[in-house]
Amino acid sequence: MKHSDPKNIEIEVELYRDPKPGREENLLVVNAGKHHHAFDKVANDHQPHTITWKLTGNASHGEFCGPDDADSPGFSWLVRRPSEKVFRNLRYEGKNKISIENYHCDKNSEGTWHYQLFARFGNKVYGVPLTFVCGDSNSPHPSIKNT
C-alpha cells in the first residue's frame, strides 16, 4: 500500500469576473479552474491531509456563507456525502477561509467526492456553477479524490 506524508494545501477561490455595478451575475472559480485534488493515503489517522479554501484576488472582499445557511452553505457535499471517519473538523477560519481534514488512511476512505462552495459579496451570493456532464474528465465540479 502506497502512503504519503500529510499534505496541507490552500486552494484559492476567486470570482469569475471582477465585480462591477450593473453586472449582477458572477461565479466562484476554484483554483483557476483546476479544481480536482487527489490525495494518497497517509500512514495513520493521526496525521490527516488539511485542505483550506481561501477567498483571494477579486473575491478577497467577500465572505463564505455560514454552515447553517440552508440555501447556500459555505461548504457542502454534492451527490453523496462521505463518512465522517474520512472528512472531519470542517471549520470556518474568519470570513474568508474554510478548512477540513482528510483522514485518508485505508481502502475504506477511497473515493471521489464533489463539493459546492458559496460566498457572499454584499447582498449577493455566488457559488461554483453546477453543470452535470458525462465522463470523469468532463466534470466541472470541484472534487477531492482519495486514491
Side-chain angles (χ1 to χ4, degrees):
M1 181 183 303
K2 180 181 175 185
H3 288 99
S4 70
D5 291 329
K7 292 181 186 176
N8 293 309
I9 66 165
E10 187 169 278
I11 302 170
E12 294 183 349
V13 179
E14 297 181 298
L15 286 167
Y16 178 67
R17 300 183 182 119
D18 289 334
K20 292 183 180 177
R23 182 186 282 171
E24 301 298 319
E25 307 224 350
N26 214 331
L27 303 168
L28 294 178
V29 178
V30 176
N31 198 31
K34 301 177 204 103
H35 45 238
H36 302 287
H37 292 87
F39 295 88
D40 292 327
K41 293 174 184 75
V42 290
N44 62 61
D45 68 356
H46 301 293
Q47 298 178 322
H49 299 293
T50 301
I51 306 163
T52 302
W53 293 269
K54 181 178 181 182
L55 295 173
T56 62
N58 63 1
S60 62
H61 66 284
E63 62 183 301
F64 281 110
C65 295
D68 56 349
D69 187 320
D71 295 326
S72 308
F75 177 92
S76 64
W77 296 109
L78 294 175
V79 184
R80 66 184 186 119
R81 183 180 188 90
S83 162
E84 290 183 15
K85 292 180 181 181
V86 181
F87 294 97
R88 302 180 210 159
N89 302 324
L90 177 67
R91 59 195 176 278
Y92 287 69
E93 300 176 15
K95 65 178 189 166
N96 67 347
K97 279 187 180 183
I98 297 175
S99 294
I100 197 165
E101 293 173 352
N102 180 358
Y103 289 83
H104 175 39
C105 59
D106 59 30
K107 187 163 182 63
N108 294 323
S109 55
E110 291 178 356
T112 301
W113 291 276
H114 299 279
Y115 62 89
Q116 173 73 326
L117 300 171
F118 288 98
R120 184 175 315 283
F121 300 85
N123 63 350
K124 300 290 181 195
V125 173
Y126 303 118
V128 176
L130 295 180
T131 306
F132 289 94
V133 295
C134 296
D136 288 341
S137 64
N138 293 326
S139 177
H141 302 304
S143 66
I144 297 167
K145 183 174 184 176
N146 287 342
T147 59

